[in-house]
Coordinates of all heavy atoms in Angstrom, one line a residue:
H551 N -40.6 -29.6 -34.0 CA -39.7 -30.0 -35.1 C -40.3 -31.3 -35.7 O -40.1 -32.3 -35.2 CB -38.3 -30.2 -34.6 CG -37.3 -30.5 -35.7 ND1 -36.9 -29.6 -36.6 CD2 -36.8 -31.7 -36.0 CE1 -36.0 -30.2 -37.4 NE2 -36.0 -31.5 -37.1
K552 N -41.1 -31.1 -36.7 CA -42.0 -32.2 -37.1 C -41.1 -33.5 -37.5 O -40.3 -33.4 -38.4 CB -42.8 -31.8 -38.3 CG -43.9 -30.8 -38.0 CD -45.0 -31.5 -37.1 CE -46.1 -30.5 -36.8 NZ -47.1 -31.1 -35.9
Q553 N -41.4 -34.6 -36.8 CA -40.8 -35.9 -37.1 C -41.8 -36.9 -37.6 O -41.5 -38.0 -38.0 CB -40.1 -36.4 -35.9 CG -39.0 -35.5 -35.4 CD -37.8 -35.5 -36.3 OE1 -37.6 -36.5 -37.0 NE2 -37.0 -34.4 -36.3
N554 N -43.1 -36.5 -37.5 CA -44.2 -37.5 -37.9 C -44.3 -37.6 -39.4 O -44.5 -36.7 -40.1 CB -45.5 -36.9 -37.3 CG -46.6 -38.0 -37.4 OD1 -46.5 -38.9 -38.2 ND2 -47.6 -37.9 -36.5
P555 N -44.1 -38.8 -39.9 CA -44.1 -39.0 -41.4 C -45.5 -38.6 -41.9 O -45.6 -38.1 -43.1 CB -43.9 -40.5 -41.6 CG -43.1 -40.9 -40.3 CD -43.7 -40.1 -39.2
F556 N -46.6 -38.9 -41.2 CA -47.9 -38.5 -41.6 C -48.0 -37.0 -41.9 O -48.6 -36.5 -42.9 CB -49.0 -39.0 -40.7 CG -50.4 -38.6 -41.0 CD1 -51.1 -39.2 -42.0 CD2 -51.0 -37.5 -40.4 CE1 -52.3 -38.9 -42.3 CE2 -52.2 -37.1 -40.8 CZ -52.9 -37.8 -41.7
S557 N -47.4 -36.2 -41.0 CA -47.5 -34.8 -41.1 C -46.7 -34.3 -42.3 O -47.1 -33.4 -43.0 CB -46.9 -34.1 -39.8 OG -47.7 -34.5 -38.7
R558 N -45.5 -34.9 -42.5 CA -44.7 -34.5 -43.7 C -45.4 -34.8 -45.0 O -45.4 -34.0 -45.9 CB -43.4 -35.2 -43.6 CG -42.4 -34.7 -42.5 CD -41.0 -35.0 -42.8 NE -40.8 -36.5 -42.9 CZ -40.5 -37.3 -41.9 NH1 -40.3 -36.7 -40.7 NH2 -40.3 -38.6 -42.1
A559 N -46.0 -36.0 -45.0 CA -46.7 -36.4 -46.3 C -47.9 -35.5 -46.5 O -48.2 -35.1 -47.7 CB -47.2 -37.9 -46.1
A560 N -48.6 -35.1 -45.4 CA -49.8 -34.2 -45.6 C -49.4 -32.9 -46.1 O -50.0 -32.3 -47.0 CB -50.5 -34.1 -44.3
Q561 N -48.2 -32.4 -45.6 CA -47.8 -31.1 -46.1 C -47.3 -31.1 -47.5 O -47.5 -30.2 -48.3 CB -46.6 -30.6 -45.2 CG -46.2 -29.1 -45.5 CD -45.3 -28.6 -44.4 OE1 -45.2 -29.1 -43.3 NE2 -44.7 -27.4 -44.7
N562 N -46.6 -32.2 -47.9 CA -46.2 -32.3 -49.3 C -47.4 -32.4 -50.2 O -47.3 -31.8 -51.3 CB -45.3 -33.6 -49.4 CG -44.0 -33.5 -48.7 OD1 -43.5 -32.4 -48.4 ND2 -43.4 -34.7 -48.4
Q563 N -48.4 -33.1 -49.8 CA -49.6 -33.1 -50.6 C -50.3 -31.7 -50.7 O -50.8 -31.4 -51.8 CB -50.6 -34.1 -50.0 CG -51.9 -34.4 -50.9 CD -51.5 -34.9 -52.2 OE1 -50.7 -35.8 -52.3 NE2 -52.2 -34.4 -53.3
D564 N -50.2 -31.0 -49.7 CA -50.8 -29.6 -49.7 C -50.0 -28.8 -50.8 O -50.6 -28.0 -51.5 CB -50.6 -28.9 -48.4 CG -51.6 -29.5 -47.3 OD1 -52.6 -30.1 -47.8 OD2 -51.3 -29.3 -46.1
M565 N -48.7 -28.9 -50.9 CA -47.9 -28.2 -51.9 C -48.3 -28.6 -53.3 O -48.4 -27.8 -54.2 CB -46.4 -28.4 -51.6 CG -45.9 -27.8 -50.4 SD -46.0 -26.0 -50.3 CE -47.4 -25.8 -49.1
I566 N -48.5 -29.9 -53.5 CA -49.0 -30.4 -54.8 C -50.3 -29.8 -55.2 O -50.6 -29.4 -56.3 CB -49.0 -31.9 -54.8 CG1 -47.5 -32.4 -54.6 CG2 -49.6 -32.4 -56.1 CD1 -47.5 -34.0 -54.5
N567 N -51.2 -29.8 -54.2 CA -52.6 -29.2 -54.4 C -52.5 -27.7 -54.7 O -53.2 -27.2 -55.6 CB -53.5 -29.4 -53.2 CG -53.8 -30.9 -53.0 OD1 -53.7 -31.7 -53.9 ND2 -54.1 -31.3 -51.8
F568 N -51.6 -27.0 -54.0 CA -51.5 -25.6 -54.3 C -51.0 -25.4 -55.8 O -51.4 -24.5 -56.5 CB -50.5 -25.0 -53.3 CG -51.0 -24.8 -52.0 CD1 -50.2 -24.8 -50.9 CD2 -52.4 -24.7 -51.7 CE1 -50.6 -24.6 -49.6 CE2 -52.9 -24.6 -50.4 CZ -52.0 -24.6 -49.4
Y569 N -50.1 -26.2 -56.2 CA -49.5 -26.1 -57.5 C -50.6 -26.3 -58.6 O -50.7 -25.6 -59.6 CB -48.4 -27.0 -57.7 CG -47.8 -27.0 -59.1 CD1 -46.9 -26.1 -59.6 CD2 -48.2 -28.1 -60.0 CE1 -46.4 -26.1 -60.9 CE2 -47.7 -28.1 -61.3 CZ -46.8 -27.1 -61.7 OH -46.3 -27.1 -63.0
S570 N -51.4 -27.4 -58.3 CA -52.5 -27.7 -59.3 C -53.5 -26.6 -59.4 O -54.1 -26.4 -60.5 CB -53.2 -29.0 -58.9 OG -52.2 -30.1 -58.8
M571 N -53.8 -25.9 -58.3 CA -54.8 -24.8 -58.3 C -54.2 -23.5 -58.8 O -54.9 -22.5 -58.8 CB -55.3 -24.6 -56.9 CG -56.2 -25.8 -56.4 SD -56.9 -25.5 -54.8 CE -55.5 -25.5 -53.7
G572 N -53.0 -23.5 -59.2 CA -52.4 -22.2 -59.8 C -52.0 -21.2 -58.7 O -51.9 -20.0 -59.0
F573 N -51.7 -21.7 -57.5 CA -51.3 -20.8 -56.4 C -50.0 -20.1 -56.7 O -49.7 -19.0 -56.3 CB -51.1 -21.6 -55.1 CG -52.3 -21.5 -54.2 CD1 -53.6 -21.8 -54.6 CD2 -52.1 -21.0 -52.9 CE1 -54.6 -21.7 -53.8 CE2 -53.2 -20.9 -52.0 CZ -54.5 -21.2 -52.5
F574 N -49.1 -20.8 -57.5 CA -47.8 -20.2 -57.7 C -47.6 -19.4 -59.0 O -46.5 -18.9 -59.3 CB -46.8 -21.4 -57.8 CG -46.8 -22.3 -56.5 CD1 -46.8 -23.7 -56.6 CD2 -46.9 -21.7 -55.3 CE1 -46.8 -24.4 -55.5 CE2 -46.9 -22.5 -54.1 CZ -46.9 -23.9 -54.2
L575 N -48.7 -19.2 -59.7 CA -48.7 -18.3 -60.8 C -48.6 -16.9 -60.3 O -49.3 -16.5 -59.5 CB -50.0 -18.5 -61.7 CG -50.1 -19.8 -62.4 CD1 -51.5 -19.8 -63.1 CD2 -49.0 -20.0 -63.4
P576 N -47.6 -16.1 -60.9 CA -47.4 -14.8 -60.3 C -48.6 -13.9 -60.5 O -48.8 -13.0 -59.7 CB -46.2 -14.2 -61.2 CG -46.2 -15.1 -62.4 CD -46.7 -16.4 -62.0
Q577 N -49.5 -14.1 -61.5 CA -50.6 -13.2 -61.7 C -51.7 -13.5 -60.6 O -52.6 -12.7 -60.4 CB -51.2 -13.3 -63.1 CG -51.7 -14.7 -63.5 CD -50.6 -15.5 -64.2 OE1 -49.4 -15.3 -63.9 NE2 -51.0 -16.4 -65.1
N578 N -51.6 -14.7 -59.9 CA -52.5 -15.0 -58.9 C -51.9 -14.8 -57.5 O -52.5 -15.2 -56.5 CB -52.9 -16.5 -59.0 CG -53.6 -16.9 -60.3 OD1 -54.1 -16.0 -60.9 ND2 -53.6 -18.1 -60.6
A579 N -50.8 -14.0 -57.4 CA -50.1 -13.9 -56.1 C -51.0 -13.2 -55.1 O -51.0 -13.7 -53.9 CB -48.9 -13.1 -56.3
D580 N -51.8 -12.2 -55.4 CA -52.6 -11.5 -54.4 C -53.6 -12.4 -53.8 O -53.7 -12.5 -52.5 CB -53.2 -10.3 -55.0 CG -52.2 -9.2 -55.4 OD1 -51.1 -9.2 -54.9 OD2 -52.6 -8.4 -56.4
Q581 N -54.3 -13.2 -54.6 CA -55.3 -14.1 -54.1 C -54.6 -15.3 -53.3 O -55.1 -15.7 -52.2 CB -56.1 -14.7 -55.2 CG -57.0 -13.7 -55.9 CD -56.2 -13.1 -57.1 OE1 -55.0 -13.0 -57.1 NE2 -57.0 -12.8 -58.2
S582 N -53.5 -15.7 -53.8 CA -52.8 -16.8 -53.1 C -52.3 -16.4 -51.7 O -52.4 -17.1 -50.7 CB -51.6 -17.3 -53.9 OG -52.1 -17.8 -55.2
I583 N -51.7 -15.2 -51.6 CA -51.2 -14.7 -50.4 C -52.4 -14.5 -49.4 O -52.2 -14.8 -48.2 CB -50.4 -13.4 -50.6 CG1 -49.2 -13.6 -51.4 CG2 -50.1 -12.7 -49.3 CD1 -48.4 -12.4 -51.8
A584 N -53.5 -14.0 -49.8 CA -54.6 -13.8 -48.9 C -55.1 -15.1 -48.4 O -55.5 -15.2 -47.2 CB -55.8 -13.1 -49.7
C585 N -55.1 -16.2 -49.2 CA -55.5 -17.5 -48.7 C -54.5 -18.1 -47.7 O -54.8 -18.6 -46.7 CB -55.7 -18.4 -49.9 SG -56.2 -20.1 -49.5
L586 N -53.2 -17.9 -48.1 CA -52.1 -18.5 -47.2 C -52.1 -17.9 -45.8 O -51.7 -18.5 -44.9 CB -50.8 -18.4 -47.9 CG -50.5 -19.3 -49.1 CD1 -49.2 -18.9 -49.8 CD2 -50.5 -20.8 -48.7
E587 N -52.3 -16.6 -45.8 CA -52.3 -15.9 -44.5 C -53.3 -16.4 -43.5 O -53.2 -16.3 -42.3 CB -52.5 -14.4 -44.7 CG -51.3 -13.7 -45.3 CD -51.5 -12.2 -45.5 OE1 -52.7 -11.8 -45.5 OE2 -50.5 -11.5 -45.8
M588 N -54.4 -17.1 -44.0 CA -55.4 -17.6 -43.1 C -55.1 -19.1 -42.7 O -55.8 -19.7 -41.9 CB -56.8 -17.6 -43.8 CG -57.2 -16.2 -44.2 SD -57.4 -15.1 -42.8 CE -58.7 -15.9 -41.9
L589 N -54.1 -19.7 -43.3 CA -53.7 -21.1 -43.1 C -52.7 -21.2 -42.0 O -51.9 -20.3 -41.7 CB -53.2 -21.8 -44.4 CG -54.2 -21.8 -45.5 CD1 -53.5 -22.5 -46.7 CD2 -55.5 -22.6 -45.2
E590 N -52.7 -22.4 -41.3 CA -51.6 -22.7 -40.3 C -50.8 -23.9 -40.9 O -51.3 -25.0 -41.0 CB -52.3 -23.1 -39.0 CG -52.9 -22.0 -38.2 CD -51.9 -21.0 -37.7 OE1 -50.7 -21.4 -37.5 OE2 -52.3 -19.9 -37.4

Side-chain angles (χ1 to χ4, degrees):
H551 183 75
K552 288 294 182 183
Q553 298 290 334
N554 192 334
F556 176 79
S557 300
R558 290 199 300 267
Q561 185 168 351
N562 293 340
Q563 185 61 42
D564 288 341
M565 293 297 105
I566 295 174
N567 294 337
F568 289 156
Y569 176 80
S570 301
M571 291 185 294
F573 260 56
F574 304 136
L575 292 176
Q577 61 267 31
N578 297 340
D580 293 335
Q581 296 91 326
S582 300
I583 291 173
C585 179
L586 289 172
E587 287 178 346
M588 302 298 295
L589 298 179
E590 290 291 338

